[in-house]
Amino acid sequence: MNMKNLIRIAAVIFLLLIGVASVFMTTSVLFDLFGIREMEGNYVEFVVIANLIAGVFYLAASYGMLKRKSWSIKLLVITAALLTMTFIGLMIHISSDGIYEPKTIKALAARTLITVALAVISSWTINHKIQIK
């Protein structure tokens, strides 16, 4: 197995793990399961919902990357755009004196950058160029 395939498989596993973790954590917060909502403190609901959508997209993209489907690249780009818009929305929420947890800023920024990196890795390992039409 060559280096590109190893990196692709590692990215697939990583996407699968963060997808499962994202769906679990966000549904736990939204539906108040396992006491996780209380642990999260002052969560921002639209950020949680965006993270849920991203989690589902990560799961789909992991399958697409595994099968070398070019749509997985587009899905990760869309996810990065969603998270970027969510980050902008969070900044507006904060500047409007909305309640939030400071860790949310760091977590959302990290998730967005990781998603961009995964989109680049997906493009490189699937041998397609990212084309936005």
Side-chain angles (χ1 to χ4, degrees), residues 33-113:
L33 306 173
F34 313 110
I36 291 175
R37 179 185 287 178
E38 186 177 324
M39 290 185 335
E40 289 303 310
N42 295 317
Y43 69 94
V44 181
E45 189 169 4
F46 72 85
V47 174
V48 176
I49 291 168
N51 285 336
L52 174 60
I53 294 167
V56 172
F57 286 0
Y58 291 150
L59 294 173
S62 68
Y63 173 79
M65 267 185 87
L66 181 66
K67 298 295 186 178
R68 293 184 176 93
K69 301 293 183 184
S70 62
W71 56 259
S72 66
I73 302 163
K74 294 175 185 172
L75 188 56
L76 288 168
V77 169
I78 289 166
T79 306
L82 167 70
L83 293 172
T84 300
M85 289 185 293
T86 303
F87 192 84
I88 292 167
L90 178 62
M91 293 298 103
I92 293 168
H93 174 78
I94 291 168
S95 69
S96 301
D97 295 325
I99 60 170
Y100 71 100
E101 292 289 335
K103 66 183 178 181
T104 303
I105 298 169
K106 293 176 190 170
L108 189 54
R111 179 183 288 268
T112 303
L113 292 174

Side-chain angles (χ1 to χ4, degrees), residues 6-19:
L6 286 173
I7 291 171
R8 183 177 56 80
I9 297 301
V12 166
I13 293 168
F14 184 70
L15 270 169
L16 188 61
L17 291 174
I18 64 170

